Amino acid sequence: MAIRERLSGNEAVAIALKQINPDVVAAYPITPSTEVVHYFSQFVADGEVSTEFVAVESEHSAMSACIGAQAAGARAATITSACGLALMWELLYVASGTRVPVTLAVINRALSGPININNDHSDSMGARDSGWIQIYSENNQEAYDNYIMSIRIGEHKDVMLPVMVCQDGFITSHAIENIELLEDDKVKKFVGDYNPGWSMISGKPTSVGPYDTPMFYFEHQYQRAMAMKDSKKVILDVFKEFAALSGREYGLFEEYKMEDAERVIVVLNSSAGTAKWACDQLRAKGEKVGVLKIRVFRPFPMEEIAKALSHVKAVAVMDKCESFSAAGGPVFADVRSACYELEKRPFIINYIYGLGGRDVRVEDFTFVYDELDKVVKAGKSGEIYRHVGVRGV
């Protein structure tokens, strides 16, 4: 029987970590992810886990310690947000390049400057091309489930890549929701033991992260790229196995009232719930609208998203991150690229929204749906790169 609880998103991730019982957790506190570190360090102090908790002097050191632990044959995890993730930047590439499946809970927060401790996706989106698998979570239940599944995904022999599980800072990390937990023994059995097949301290010692000359570097990057590509099948297999265990089914993305939708909003994380509410209100009026919520952003499900949007007339891609490209946000760029080969492409526009924790209301999504209606009736996209919720705009 599932265990019914009321937990914040940070508590949910901490409990997932407790049930996984990794060999090493190295972490440094930063708002709004600090609570996860506090909760888990208490589990360590109370003897509820056998984890070696390493209180490091910075997030750069946290990731360094995790990479070293994984290379030595231990299962390692860490937690961070915003500038903490930015301080890990160098090591993100080292982790994926050396194929050590560290898991990282990212509690999404705006990057400085000016300094801001509230939510947007500028931190994880900045790391989108660092070779990490990225899974996004709409609510606390998804954050808990995604973290448990991330262990199996990253450690699969055909993947061996690090995984970051993202959720919105304060919005879900500190909000208390009803949640169903799995029993400890079921989680332990599901994740199994970490068995990389090699380590620096095994009977067959291996060098991890040596200098890579031009003779070999390109081939190693190709292997990493193919592992990311192959991870899509592994992710779906793990999702299917988790559904059999928990009764909760997940996909690379969620299609909400998409069957006959003509106008669709594409969105990530907690804002999907608000978009669904706006969708329901318009559906009640007979309008054919839908929501596509991306769950797995890396690897990017290009073919699957193109198929899901192939019957749609107009799409608004919502980016909670400003790429400063003057051409739109990162999610927009990938979604628009995915639809390029369609015989009949929908009109696709981009909205930057919610930066620095700016409230995102049902009315904002209703406005976006109305703008899509104008696009359909005009027969042209108009301005592609837009903002919503900015004062004076």
Side-chain angles (χ1 to χ4, degrees):
M1 288 291 292
I3 303 164
R4 295 183 180 275
E5 261 289 5
R6 290 182 295 275
L7 300 171
S8 70
N10 280 345
E11 287 179 288
V13 170
I15 289 175
L17 274 167
K18 182 180 77 168
Q19 293 178 316
I20 293 163
N21 193 15
D23 300 303
V24 174
V25 168
Y28 188 86
I30 181 171
T31 302
S33 65
T34 301
E35 279 190 331
V36 183
V37 182
H38 284 173
Y39 287 126
F40 190 77
S41 61
Q42 191 63 56
F43 296 147
V44 174
D46 293 343
E48 296 184 54
V49 292
S50 57
T51 305
E52 180 72 25
F53 183 82
V54 186
V56 291
E57 70 273 19
S58 75
E59 292 86 355
H60 187 282
S61 300
M63 186 54 64
S64 298
C66 286
I67 293 169
Q70 292 270 179
R75 177 180 281 157
T78 187
I79 309 99
T80 198
S81 299
C83 306
L85 184 60
L87 190 55
M88 290 179 178
W89 230 254
E90 174 191 8
L91 281 307
L92 296 180
Y93 288 84
V94 174
S96 61
T98 51
R99 307 294 293 278
V100 291
V102 178
T103 51
L104 168 63
V106 177
I107 316 303
N108 288 117
R109 170 189 144 185
L111 281 173
S112 301
I115 191 167
N116 180 292
I117 65 167
N118 298 297
N119 170 252
D120 65 33
H121 300 157
S122 53
D123 49 4
S124 59
M125 281 296 158
R128 67 189 179 277
D129 296 330
S130 60
W132 283 62
I133 292 169
Q134 288 192 342
I135 307 176
Y136 286 79
S137 316
E138 178 182 345
N139 50 43
N140 302 357
Q141 185 72 66
E142 285 195 28
Y144 169 80
D145 293 345
N146 286 341
Y147 204 92
I148 292 170
M149 291 188 286
S150 73
I151 302 292
R152 287 283 304 280
I153 292 166
E155 293 178 3
H156 192 280
K157 63 181 178 59
D158 294 333
V159 180
M160 294 301 289
L161 290 172
V163 185
M164 61 178 72
V165 175
C166 307
Q167 65 165 310
D168 285 342
F170 294 111
I171 298 171
T172 58
S173 67
H174 286 62
I176 295 174
E177 296 178 350
N178 291 328
I179 188 173
E180 286 191 357
L181 304 174
L182 297 171
E183 294 87 345
D184 292 354
D185 60 326
K186 289 183 178 179
V187 174
K188 184 177 181 180
K189 183 178 180 181
F190 181 82
V191 300
D193 296 323
Y194 176 49
N195 182 22
W198 52 265
S199 82
M200 294 189 299
I201 59 173
S202 67
K204 194 174 182 180
T206 302
S207 178
V208 178
Y211 176 66
D212 214 358
T213 68
M215 187 67 71
F216 301 104
Y217 181 85
F218 198 167
E219 284 70 27
H220 290 149
Q221 300 315 301
Y222 173 79
Q223 290 171 359
R224 180 164 40 158
M226 291 304 101
M228 181 64 77
K229 187 176 180 180
D230 293 342
S231 71
K232 190 188 298 183
K233 180 182 183 302
V234 173
I235 290 168
L236 289 173
D237 288 344
V238 172
F239 285 176
K240 185 175 180 180
E241 189 175 338
F242 187 82
L245 176 66
S246 67
R248 294 185 288 276
E249 297 184 5
Y250 295 112
L252 301 173
F253 51 85
E254 177 188 340
E255 298 179 74
Y256 187 77
K257 301 191 176 179
M258 286 283 292
E259 297 83 2
D260 63 343
E262 296 179 351
R263 290 172 284 145
V264 170
I265 284 176
V266 177
V267 68
L268 285 74
N269 268 13
S270 65
S271 300
T274 310
K276 290 173 187 176
W277 190 267
C279 176
D280 288 344
Q281 289 184 343
L282 293 178
R283 277 279 175 176
K285 298 177 181 179
E287 299 191 34
K288 294 181 178 181
V289 296
V291 177
L292 190 151
K293 180 188 77 178
I294 296 176
R295 298 190 68 258
V296 178
F297 188 62
R298 289 291 183 269
F300 186 71
M302 178 176 285
E303 297 86 358
E304 294 86 351
I305 284 179
K307 183 179 179 181
L309 297 176
S310 61
H311 68 283
V312 173
K313 293 182 179 180
V315 178
V317 182
M318 311 298 294
D319 269 288
K320 215 173 192 181
C321 169
E322 176 58 84
S323 69
F324 304 107
S325 69
V331 182
F332 168 71
D334 282 357
V335 171
R336 199 177 190 213
S337 173
C339 293
Y340 181 77
E341 296 294 338
L342 290 175
E343 287 186 20
K344 188 177 181 181
R345 292 191 294 269
F347 296 108
I348 306 178
I349 60 175
N350 183 215
Y351 277 100
I352 310 297
Y353 78 103
L355 301 186
R358 179 65 56 88
D359 282 343
V360 184
R361 305 165 300 162
V362 173
E363 292 80 7
D364 293 319
F365 286 106
T366 302
F367 168 79
V368 171
Y369 278 124
D370 289 344
E371 291 297 294
L372 287 178
D373 188 45
K374 294 177 184 177
V375 167
V376 173
K377 289 176 178 175
K380 57 183 180 180
S381 299
E383 178 64 40
I384 299 292
Y385 169 45
R386 311 180 182 195
H387 295 72
V388 63
V390 182
R391 289 193 302 274
V393 175

